[in-house]
Amino acid sequence: MKIKGMRWVIISLIMMITIINYLDRGTLNYMWVANVDYELQPTAGSANGDNSAVLLPDGSYRLINSRGEESEVSAARVKIKEKDGHTYASVQEGMAVDLGLVNPEDPDATQKAKDLLGTITIFFMIAYGISQMVSGKIYDKIGCRRGFFWSALVWGVADALTSLSKGLASLTIFRVMLGLGEAGPWPGTTKSNAIWFPQKERALAQGLFGAAASVGSVLAPIVILMLFLAFGWKWTFVIVGGLGVVWVVLWLFINKADPEDHPWVTEEEKNHILEGRCNPVACPAPDEKGKSWGELLRQRKNWSVILGRFFLDPIWWMFVTFLPLYLTDVFNLNIKEVAFSAWVPYAGAAVGSIAGGWFSGWLISKGRSVNFARKCAMLVGGGIILPAIIGSVMAQTVMMAVICMAFVLAGFQFFITNLQTIPSDLHSGKSVGSLAGLGGAAAVLGTILAIFFSDMISSWTLLFGLLAALVPLSWLSIFLTVGKIEKIKN
């Protein structure tokens, strides 16, 4: 059996697991703290299966959720609001409340929830950063087929096990395990694209990968919060975590080998891939060893990837981590309103990711050099981020805020898609994944520092506004170190 365009099937599978990856990592963020509205009724249970609440004689409220679970809460936990002619009792719920980590009656509850989420995320990012470095080496050693298998299996099981969390310690352990598994696809995809795509198509393939991350972020608030309302947070972890375990079976069946040896690749596509991988002078011999971390760090060009991602990636991670809490706190959105607002910024990210990959590929097809195309695309992407961040922190309505944030993340993906492609522009063979892994580890370090300092900033406006300064720092670090973007000759 032969399949035309097998390389697009491979990147489609990677896009699928990337979507699942973002569903898994979003479970905690979206279920951490949520405002749930209960419609006030004369008697509990008269709301036809919807969330309902009744005021009791002692001033407390009896709540019955859509799953039929009943509870009582004090008046201090309830905010009464009117909407569309109905009266609702809005109650702060979520994992932080259920596990006893946050007391909703505490006036500093939101800040404490933010700090605890930041602390857990720092441990997740430490594991994620270690995995970025190790995963690049592992993928170079065992190949992308087995690398993706182990990554997806580890993080899928970790997410499912989070349903067993009893407190901060166990929750953090499961998130660390999640981080160890989830980092693999980033250096892995860069390496896979270098194997399966000619150079002129790699930025587009990387853009599709980035778009899948954005699609996962678009789906996460809707899928996770709807599952949370229907089944509760424990079953949501089990369901979403199980998706990765199912995917590995499909991956092993379809991705049988690299294009040179895959039985389903046509001869025409094989020649198209091999002839376009790199020029004959720069291509390594089949048995060439990959460079060590020390060798990579001694070459100045490689620092463009490491420093560029150190400064740029915190923009993305700060939005991924704190966007649900930001919308809940600043605009007082309930859980459904968050679900149908938080996806907008990531829709912009999906567009920016594909556009960034297409743009540099289009420039190359018009005769421009790889050096010009990558640099031009990174300048355009950063130019979109800067005014959009300013607009997002000045927005007075949730609609304007999420639209501006859509441009922020669109510019970020336009930029990062081309930055993530540079390892395959500078190297061939086994060094690609290693450099991509170092870049990912640097990105994690930058993010950890950003989250650490975010605990000291109580103003959302200042916190997101400071992210704008990271764009020129990323530009400078790239352009002062990379020189001409071309293969590094041994």
Side-chain angles (χ1 to χ4, degrees), residues 163-463:
S163 63
L164 303 177
S165 298
K166 300 299 182 183
L168 185 62
S170 56
L171 177 58
T172 303
I173 290 171
F174 292 132
R175 294 304 283 188
V176 166
M177 184 178 171
L178 183 78
L180 291 174
E182 281 210 323
W186 271 256
T189 298
T190 302
K191 180 175 178 63
S192 178
N193 289 342
I195 293 171
W196 278 93
F197 288 88
Q199 189 176 44
K200 68 179 181 180
E201 293 178 352
R202 283 179 202 158
L204 177 57
Q206 197 72 30
L208 291 172
F209 166 69
S214 302
V215 170
S217 298
V218 168
L219 294 176
I222 300 173
V223 172
I224 292 169
L225 294 178
M226 293 303 101
L227 287 173
F228 173 70
L229 287 173
F231 303 108
W233 62 267
K234 292 185 178 182
W235 275 107
T236 299
F237 276 111
V238 173
I239 294 169
V240 177
L243 295 176
V245 179
V246 172
W247 177 87
V248 299
V249 178
L250 189 64
W251 172 255
L252 292 177
F253 175 72
I254 294 177
N255 189 14
K256 298 178 183 296
D258 289 347
E260 296 93 327
D261 304 311
H262 201 296
W264 297 352
V265 176
T266 65
E267 198 66 29
E268 180 183 1
E269 182 177 20
K270 184 188 299 183
N271 293 334
H272 174 72
I273 294 170
L274 298 182
E275 291 172 2
R277 275 187 182 170
C278 57
N279 64 67
V281 175
C283 281
D287 59 348
E288 181 182 329
K289 292 177 61 177
K291 294 182 176 69
S292 67
W293 287 337
E295 290 173 315
L296 291 171
L297 293 173
R298 284 195 293 270
Q299 294 172 318
R300 190 183 70 173
K301 285 181 180 290
N302 295 329
W303 282 94
S304 62
V305 178
I306 297 168
L307 292 177
R309 293 201 61 188
F310 174 84
F311 289 115
L312 188 66
D313 274 65
I315 296 175
W316 176 266
W317 282 100
M318 294 296 279
F319 277 90
V320 169
T321 302
F322 293 123
L323 179 59
L325 190 57
Y326 172 78
L327 294 175
T328 299
D329 182 38
V330 175
F331 296 102
N332 197 32
L333 301 187
N334 65 35
I335 189 169
K336 291 183 179 179
E337 291 167 338
V338 169
F340 290 99
S341 298
W343 66 270
V344 176
Y346 299 109
V351 173
S353 184
I354 295 175
W358 170 85
F359 180 73
S360 60
W362 175 74
L363 289 175
I364 294 172
S365 70
K366 293 298 181 181
R368 293 289 192 172
S369 66
V370 171
N371 177 65
F372 177 88
R374 301 286 190 251
K375 289 178 178 177
C376 183
M378 289 187 287
L379 285 171
V380 171
I384 296 171
I385 295 173
L386 288 170
I389 283 184
I390 295 172
S392 64
V393 298
M394 294 178 63
Q396 299 298 309
T397 65
V398 65
M399 181 61 70
M400 285 305 301
V402 295
I403 289 174
C404 288
M405 290 177 185
F407 280 95
V408 172
L409 297 190
F412 172 86
Q413 286 292 345
F414 201 104
F415 191 153
I416 199 71
T417 291
N418 288 275
L419 179 54
Q420 287 177 326
T421 307
I422 291 179
S424 64
D425 294 327
L426 300 180
H427 299 276
S428 298
K430 295 183 177 181
S431 298
V432 175
S434 297
L435 178 56
L438 285 174
V444 168
L445 177 59
T447 301
I448 289 172
L449 292 175
I451 293 175
F452 176 78
F453 285 113
S454 73
D455 289 347
M456 306 176 188
I457 301 173
S458 58
S459 167
W460 288 108
T461 300
L462 179 60
L463 177 61

